[in-house]
């Protein structure tokens, strides 16, 4: 009995001094990572941010206007708020000025980008100021500029993030809006992840991209910037190729990006083509469409923040600053970078030359027509015509066959005429 008591006491003492010994409960989840929640002390909710923007426009009607564009497709509805900054309200004056189109919040989880949009609008309306900013010089520059700002392109995806799906980047029905454009659409790399990069059922299948395409074609900007987070980078086309475009436009874009990197990025931003810099190719992106189809002379994708120390599953921390100091630094640095673009951009080329290029070179392909213009047509009752994907493919096929047949018939007709003329007997007018 004494021996048993001694053994029991000895074993109890050993376990008491083992630091790694802890009781494990059946319902404990030992692999559960810790996720950083959205800090609503720093970040606006989507509803609050849009409300703040509307209030800002209401206070400054001499400079800002706002419109909400809505679209739907197969029961799915989307809306996009567009704010226009212009010191003259005349539409004719807008066409003669340097035009800039900015898009933020294309991916739902990148909240910091929409906060930057609000900060830029606040500075444009003179409710906030950048340090060391010469307001008189800036006002002179802004007098010749029209800026359209899309603060939150993917409102439905953003609401999913706010509901707790912090890693969601797609829209409200699971499509990546930055893979839904027509340039090289649908091509998949070996490491394709359908959760991250679902391109949709067809190019421009999503109401959000339909709205943005129509906005870009009607506004015809000189500069396009698609703002993201996840790293710090200044990208130019192409995303679907491992190279940049050739010629003078590419040289101009690179010079501007190098200036921004030196002055505002402290020389640590990655510069180059998206496809050649990040280690993978992206197909069906907005920036490639803007450059190749809309013919925007300077088309960029900016990545404004990334925390490479965060877990790949801790998405809010990976894509957004979580402390007040970093949050303000990012907004101040990148606001200054955008205002440098507003100042430097118009000096890069002649505004009138863009109009000439647009009129001569901006042709709309058959696919663009059938995907976009036909979808936007209205019948006499005012209802939008929605063409099913299968029907659209058939229309494309028949239209191509019609064009091919027309060309072949024309060729045969011309050949027949040529042979007839060549074989006709020549009768002399002089009697033999």
């Amino acid at each position: 009995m004494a021996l048993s008591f001694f053994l029991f006491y000895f074993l109890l003492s050993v376990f008491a001094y083992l630091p790694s010994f802890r009781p494990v409960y059946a319902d404990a989840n030992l692999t559960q990572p810790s996720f950083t929640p959205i800090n609503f002390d720093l970040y606006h909710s989507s509803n609050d941010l849009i409300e703040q923007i509307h209030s800002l426009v209401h206070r400054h009607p001499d400079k800002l206007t706002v419109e909400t564009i809505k679209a739907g497709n197969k029961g799915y509805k989307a809306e996009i708020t567009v704010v226009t900054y212009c010191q003259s309200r005349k539409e004719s004056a807008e066409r003669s000025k340097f035009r800039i189109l900015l898009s933020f919040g294309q991916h739902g989880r990148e909240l910091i980008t929409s906060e930057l949009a609000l900060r830029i609008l606040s500075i444009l309306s003179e409710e906030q100021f950048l340090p060391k900013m010469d307001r008189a010089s800036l006002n002179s520059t802004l007098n010749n500029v029209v800026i359209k700002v899309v603060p939150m392109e993917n409102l439905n995806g953003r609401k999913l993030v706010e509901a707790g799906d912090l890693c969601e980047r797609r829209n409200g029905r699971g499509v990546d809006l930055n893979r839904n454009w027509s340039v090289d659409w649908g091509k998949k790399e070996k490491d394709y992840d359908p959760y991250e990069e679902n391109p949709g059922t067809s190019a421009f299948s999503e109401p959000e991209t339909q709205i943005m395409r129509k906005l870009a074609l009607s506004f015809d900007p000189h500069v396009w910037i698609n703002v993201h987070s996840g790293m710090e980078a200044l990208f130019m086309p192409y995303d679907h190729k491992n190279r940049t475009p050739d010629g003078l436009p590419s040289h101009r874009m690179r010079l501007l990006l190098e200036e921004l990197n030196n002055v505002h990025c402290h020389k640590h931003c990655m510069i180059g083509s998206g496809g050649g810099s990040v280690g993978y190719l992206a197909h069906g992106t907005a920036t490639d469409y803007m450059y190749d189809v809309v013919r925007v002379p300077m088309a960029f994708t900016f990545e404004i923040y990334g925390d490479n120390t965060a877990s790949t599953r801790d998405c809010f921390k990976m894509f957004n600053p979580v402390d007040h100091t970093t949050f303000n630094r990012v907004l101040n640095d990148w606001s200054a970078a955008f205002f440098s673009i507003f100042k430097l951009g118009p000096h890069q080329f002649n505004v009138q030359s863009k109009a000439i290029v647009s009129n001569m070179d901006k042709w709309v392909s058959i696919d663009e027509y059938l995907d976009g213009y036909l979808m936007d047509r209205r019948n006499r009752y005012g209802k939008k015509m929605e063409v099913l994907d299968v029907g659209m493919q058939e229309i494309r096929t028949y239209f191509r066959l019609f064009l091919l047949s027309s060309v072949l018939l024309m060729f045969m007709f011309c050949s027949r005429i040529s042979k007839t003329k060549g074989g006709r007997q020549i009768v002399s007018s002089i009697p033999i």
Side-chain angles (χ1 to χ4, degrees):
M1 183 68 181
L3 181 60
S4 298
F5 179 80
F6 174 78
L7 287 172
F8 173 77
Y9 181 80
F10 173 77
L11 290 173
L12 186 63
S13 301
V14 169
F15 280 116
Y17 281 95
L18 283 176
S20 61
F21 180 76
R22 296 288 186 276
V24 178
Y25 300 98
D27 58 350
N29 186 355
L30 299 180
T31 62
Q32 179 68 35
S34 104
F35 297 139
T36 306
I38 299 175
N39 182 354
F40 284 110
D41 291 332
L42 284 180
Y43 292 87
H44 297 83
S45 68
S46 55
N47 289 338
D48 187 32
L49 190 137
I50 297 298
E51 184 180 331
Q52 292 283 336
I53 287 172
H54 278 270
S55 298
L56 189 67
V57 173
H58 181 72
R59 293 193 298 272
H60 302 279
D62 56 322
K63 298 176 181 178
L64 300 176
T65 58
V66 63
E67 60 178 325
T68 300
I69 307 174
K70 299 181 180 182
N73 177 289
K74 299 179 182 177
Y76 175 75
K77 297 180 180 179
E79 63 180 56
I80 290 179
T81 298
V82 183
V83 182
T84 302
Y85 172 88
C86 184
Q87 293 187 7
S88 172
R89 300 292 293 274
K90 295 180 180 179
E91 187 173 346
S92 57
E94 178 178 302
R95 303 305 301 173
S96 65
K97 294 186 176 185
F98 189 81
R99 299 179 297 280
I100 300 172
L101 179 57
L102 310 176
S103 176
F104 303 81
Q106 191 180 49
H107 290 148
R109 64 194 178 190
E110 299 165 11
L111 281 70
I112 186 62
T113 65
S114 294
E115 296 293 333
L116 177 59
L118 178 59
R119 177 66 63 88
I120 290 171
L121 290 171
S122 298
I123 297 170
L124 284 171
S125 61
E126 300 187 56
E127 290 198 1
Q128 293 191 43
F129 298 91
L130 286 170
K132 301 179 181 178
M133 183 174 70
D134 183 355
R135 192 72 214 185
S137 174
L138 182 62
N139 280 333
S140 176
T141 298
L142 293 176
N143 189 47
N144 300 311
V145 171
V146 181
I147 305 166
K148 283 191 181 291
V149 178
V150 176
M152 197 179 300
E153 183 181 326
N154 184 8
L155 176 60
N156 293 337
R158 169 66 178 265
K159 288 186 178 297
L160 293 175
V161 173
E162 292 175 351
D165 194 352
L166 299 177
C167 289
E168 185 59 80
R169 66 183 252 147
R170 304 167 299 174
N171 74 347
R173 61 177 175 188
V175 175
D176 184 347
L177 297 180
N178 207 27
R179 300 294 184 273
N180 192 235
W181 298 74
S182 62
V183 174
D184 215 38
W185 175 85
K187 186 175 180 180
K188 299 177 177 63
E189 297 294 316
K190 292 181 180 179
D191 59 350
Y192 168 73
D193 182 352
Y195 180 83
E196 289 279 304
E197 298 183 273
N198 176 17
T201 56
S202 64
F204 301 111
S205 61
E206 303 311 294
E208 294 94 340
T209 47
Q210 292 171 19
I211 293 171
M212 290 301 300
R213 175 184 54 185
K214 187 174 181 180
L215 176 63
L217 290 171
S218 62
F219 185 51
D220 193 22
H222 300 90
V223 173
W224 153 265
I225 306 176
N226 192 10
V227 186
H228 289 268
S229 62
M231 62 177 72
E232 289 181 287
L234 301 163
F235 291 140
M236 54 193 284
Y238 290 103
D239 295 324
H240 72 287
K241 300 177 185 178
N242 188 11
R243 66 175 182 85
T244 58
D246 300 321
L248 182 60
S250 179
H251 179 66
R252 285 172 173 163
M253 285 189 282
R254 184 172 287 276
L255 284 178
L256 181 58
L257 294 185
E258 287 175 352
E259 176 72 12
L260 295 177
N261 188 35
N262 291 336
V263 176
H264 302 290
C265 236
H266 314 295
K267 299 184 179 181
H268 63 253
C269 280
M270 192 181 300
I271 293 180
S273 72
S277 302
V278 297
Y280 64 87
L281 301 180
H283 308 275
T285 67
T287 294
D288 283 358
Y289 179 88
M290 295 297 174
Y291 188 76
D292 269 0
V293 179
V294 186
R295 305 289 185 186
V296 178
M298 306 180 80
F300 303 116
T301 300
F302 286 1
E303 298 271 354
I304 64 171
Y305 175 80
D307 184 350
N308 56 16
T309 67
S311 162
T312 55
R313 298 185 64 188
D314 191 1
C315 290
F316 182 74
K317 186 179 180 184
M318 178 182 291
F319 292 96
N320 306 280
V322 295
D323 64 273
H324 192 272
T325 301
T326 308
F327 178 86
N328 280 324
R329 176 185 61 78
V330 170
L331 294 188
N332 288 334
D333 286 352
W334 284 96
S335 294
F338 275 89
F339 277 84
S340 290
I341 292 172
F342 302 159
K343 187 173 183 178
L344 297 173
H347 298 294
Q348 294 291 322
F349 59 92
N350 188 345
V351 173
Q352 308 305 334
S353 64
K354 172 68 162 76
I356 296 172
V357 171
S358 296
N359 291 332
M360 295 180 61
D361 201 31
K362 191 176 292 182
W363 293 87
V364 179
S365 69
I366 296 169
D367 284 342
E368 289 298 324
Y369 177 79
L370 293 174
D371 275 332
Y373 293 91
L374 189 60
M375 291 285 283
D376 288 334
R377 295 277 299 277
R378 294 175 181 270
N379 62 17
R380 59 182 175 176
Y381 300 108
K383 297 178 181 178
K384 281 196 173 180
M385 297 184 294
E386 291 192 1
V387 185
L388 295 177
D389 293 334
V390 176
M392 290 291 288
Q393 294 295 335
E394 290 178 354
I395 292 172
R396 289 193 190 94
T397 302
Y398 290 138
F399 196 68
R400 289 186 181 121
L401 288 173
F402 170 74
L403 287 180
L404 180 61
S405 302
S406 300
V407 171
L408 288 174
L409 285 172
M410 184 64 72
F411 176 76
M412 292 171 63
F413 180 72
C414 292
S415 299
R416 185 67 177 267
I417 291 175
S418 177
K419 288 180 180 179
T420 302
K421 287 183 177 180
R424 184 179 298 167
Q425 185 177 1
I426 301 175
V427 179
S428 175
S429 60
I430 304 175
I432 299 176

